[in-house]
Amino acid sequence: MYEPNVVGDWHEYEEHAGLRVRVHRLEPAEPPRGRDDAADGLTYFSVRATVENRGARHYGIHLEDGQIDVRVGPDGEGAFIDWRNSQFIEGFDVYPLRRATAVLYAAAPEAALTHVDVQVQLRVDDEWTGRRLWTGGIGVLEPAPAAAPAATGQGGLAHQVSAFLRDQTEPGSA
């Protein structure tokens, strides 16, 4: 069974030795060149996608508009993507032990930001990789407890997502 990555996890591409990608730093953020009028009444956030080469050869990578999809809320509605403020990776050679990062600015209703899914389809040397999903959320509605332990174990988001997906695929589940 396919399980999504949690925001911050690395995903390695078996077909491209040493190449890996992660979606991270999902956080509220105002765009550097000002808000788009189409995002009026929405809450802005940013997310980063980093490609790292731990292999022995360089790869030409593309991570452009249309290769990153952001869905928010329990129904997976599309977030507003601010293409003008976002920074993509367009035809960049990532050499061994180097990284390249794309920064995406998006906006959505504040209440929907507790559940954010980011899907990435990387193009490597003019070959498309499989789409991968990262899931996370922004706790803009919930104040963080002062001395809360790290979210691991059965209360962590990764465990909750895995348990939900497992329940959906078990025989006898609705």
Side-chain angles (χ1 to χ4, degrees), residues 30-117:
E30 286 296 317
R33 293 185 207 115
R35 298 174 63 89
D36 190 299
D37 292 340
D40 190 38
L42 301 177
T43 301
Y44 262 92
F45 62 96
S46 69
V47 63
R48 295 173 185 263
T50 298
V51 179
E52 181 179 65
N53 185 356
R54 300 177 65 147
R57 62 175 286 264
H58 79 277
Y59 293 101
I61 62 167
H62 300 270
L63 189 54
E64 305 168 331
D65 55 338
Q67 291 175 252
I68 302 175
D69 189 20
V70 180
R71 302 284 166 169
V72 296
D75 293 328
E77 294 185 22
F80 170 78
I81 307 295
D82 190 335
W83 303 115
R84 182 176 58 108
N85 281 296
S86 297
Q87 303 159 2
F88 298 101
I89 304 170
E90 301 176 24
F92 189 78
D93 289 334
V94 179
Y95 284 86
L97 304 177
R98 297 286 189 258
R99 292 180 175 178
T101 300
V103 181
L104 186 74
Y105 286 90
E110 187 173 10
L113 295 180
T114 57
H115 185 110
V116 178
D117 291 330

